[in-house]
Amino acid sequence: LRAKRMRLGIQVYNDRLAHNNTVEVTLRSQLRTALQQNQFELYYQPKVWLSDGSLAGAEAIVRWNHPDEGLLSPGYFINLVEQSGIVHAFTRYTIDSAVKQIKKWDSEGTPLSVAVNLSAYNLMDTAFIPFVEKALFSSGIDPARLEFELTESATMVDIAVSKRMISAFNLLGIKTSIDDFGTGMSSFAYLRELDVHTIKLDRAFITDVVHNAKDEKIVTAMIALCHSLGIEVVAEGIEQQDQAALLKKLNCDIGQGFFFGKPAPAENIDALLATQQDISANLTATRAAER
Ligand code: C2E
Ligand code: MG
Ligand code: MG
Ligand code: MG
């Protein structure tokens, strides 16, 4: 059953693992081996242009194929990774994997942007920029294909450092998004300080947006503010068609969430890309026929 669920890309929730200190100690001790043995795998979740439903990109979200516990979501281990010395090696691994996948999609004629989640610690790592530069150079991918997601709390650790790092990403041609936007204490200060390409409205604002007039007003205002600053807006956690329809009406640029697709192995994106190609081929054919 577990193998089947994994193949289907369904998250396996392991209740036994939740809030269990002994298990935490065990997992912590296994991180390094997990990295060496490629037990971490990137899943990809689609991002969709709300205007026409076409694929805007994918977010790389890590899973741990644990030999005893099965497929683990980052909630079980990202904190452990961040508290341990492997966080730098871990992020390098995720970036290398994402770059490989970008290259693969490029070579298959289905170019796609991929966003990688960073940790606050990566921003403090003086070797990070040279590493990224090398990853871009040796792969030869278009830097615009790679995006970084930074949570508000990560950028908050040291705003001056965040500002410098985001400028460096911009110089390399890598777009940066602020993840889980609106959950932090001084969200608007970031918009002032940080030269980001995109903000991702946290799921908290999206869950009730259809039924809660206040949420709708807040979302409307955040979209207008970001657009006036030239920042693109993604809505996270879209689970229902009516949420997607409302966000489109509110001029939100991009949607992401279970309604469009759960994080799943790269092959699931391949399937989406294939349908997109069919759609655009049909459109081209129809337009040609109309002329
Ligand atoms: P995130 O970057 O905000 O990623 C989205 C999370 O929300 C994922 O949870 C995803 O499964 C979930 N999600 C997406 N759409 C929906 C929806 O419609 N409804 C609901 N209920 N949930 C949705 P996940 O996989 O548990 O990841 C949690 C967090 O772990 C991520 O949040 C991200 O901050 C972190 N993370 C994931 N991969 C990495 C990584 O490679 N490196 C680092 N540093 N952090 C990572
Ligand atoms: Mg993210
Ligand atoms: Mg997010
Ligand atoms: Mg979120």
Side-chain angles (χ1 to χ4, degrees), residues 96-113:
D96 282 335
S97 312
V99 165
K100 267 190 208 136
Q101 187 60 56
I102 291 169
K103 242 188 121 124
K104 181 159 182 282
W105 278 323
D106 273 356
S107 73
E108 291 166 353
T110 48
L112 200 66
S113 302

Side-chain angles (χ1 to χ4, degrees), residues 39 66 93 95 111 140 163 175 192 200-201 240 248 274 276:
Q39 289 171 12
H66 193 282
Y93 177 83
I95 291 173
K163 197 172 167 167
K175 295 173 186 157
R192 216 172 116 242
K200 301 185 74 182
L201 289 179
Q240 312 283 342
K248 178 182 174 178
Q276 300 259 315

Side-chain angles (χ1 to χ4, degrees), residues 118 123 128-129 148 165-174 176:
L118 301 187
L123 299 181
F128 188 63
I129 295 287
F148 289 147
M165 291 296 274
I166 290 170
S167 300
F169 300 154
N170 286 337
L171 282 175
L172 289 175
I174 297 172
T176 309

Side-chain angles (χ1 to χ4, degrees), residues 11 42 45 59-63 73-75 78 82 90-91 94 116-119 122 149 151 179-180 200 203 236-239 256-259 261 263:
Q11 276 159 287
L42 291 185
Q45 185 176 33
E59 177 176 1
I61 296 181
V62 74
R63 296 288 181 262
S73 289
I78 275 293
E82 293 186 335
F90 175 84
T91 304
T94 59
V116 174
N117 291 284
L118 301 187
S119 284
N122 300 131
E149 295 194 5
T151 59
D179 208 349
D180 304 341
K200 301 185 74 182
R203 176 151 57 92
E236 292 188 325
I238 296 182
E239 296 185 351
Q256 187 179 1
F258 295 170
F259 175 68

Side-chain angles (χ1 to χ4, degrees), residues 89-287:
F90 175 84
T91 304
R92 283 163 171 64
Y93 177 83
T94 59
I95 291 173
D96 282 335
S97 312
V99 165
K100 267 190 208 136
Q101 187 60 56
I102 291 169
K103 242 188 121 124
K104 181 159 182 282
W105 278 323
D106 273 356
S107 73
E108 291 166 353
T110 48
L112 200 66
S113 302
V114 173
V116 174
N117 291 284
L118 301 187
S119 284
Y121 299 93
N122 300 131
L123 299 181
M124 313 294 163
D125 175 10
T126 50
F128 188 63
I129 295 287
F131 161 78
V132 173
E133 219 166 352
K134 192 160 165 252
L136 288 175
F137 184 76
S138 57
S139 67
I141 63 158
D142 176 357
R145 285 286 149 61
L146 186 63
E147 299 176 10
F148 289 147
E149 295 194 5
L150 281 165
T151 59
E152 259 190 54
S153 48
T155 53
M156 201 162 57
V157 174
D158 185 333
I159 195 129
V161 168
S162 301
K163 197 172 167 167
R164 268 205 312 278
M165 291 296 274
I166 290 170
S167 300
F169 300 154
N170 286 337
L171 282 175
L172 289 175
I174 297 172
K175 295 173 186 157
T176 309
S177 332
I178 306 235
D179 208 349
D180 304 341
F181 186 83
T183 55
M185 293 302 285
S186 44
S187 306
F188 296 111
Y190 303 114
L191 296 186
R192 216 172 116 242
E193 294 291 330
L194 307 175
D195 191 8
V196 295
H197 185 268
T198 307
I199 67 112
K200 301 185 74 182
L201 289 179
D202 192 69
R203 176 151 57 92
F205 298 102
I206 308 304
T207 307
D208 294 327
V209 71
V210 173
H211 305 289
N212 184 324
K214 272 192 186 170
D215 282 349
E216 183 182 331
K217 289 205 168 83
I218 292 171
V219 167
T220 305
M222 291 204 283
I223 293 170
L225 174 65
C226 287
H227 283 173
S228 73
L229 295 168
I231 298 171
E232 179 184 82
V233 184
V234 177
E236 292 188 325
I238 296 182
E239 296 185 351
Q240 312 283 342
Q241 205 275 331
D242 55 1
Q243 294 168 324
L246 176 58
L247 285 150
K248 178 182 174 178
K249 200 184 98 189
L250 299 179
N251 287 323
C252 183
D253 303 292
I254 292 173
Q256 187 179 1
F258 295 170
F259 175 68
F260 301 110
K262 291 192 171 178
E267 299 82 71
N268 287 42
I269 299 285
D270 292 343
L272 275 180
L273 283 166
T275 18
Q276 300 259 315
Q277 281 197 316
D278 289 349
I279 292 168
S280 63
N282 273 336
L283 273 177
T284 318
T286 317
R287 282 189 196 127

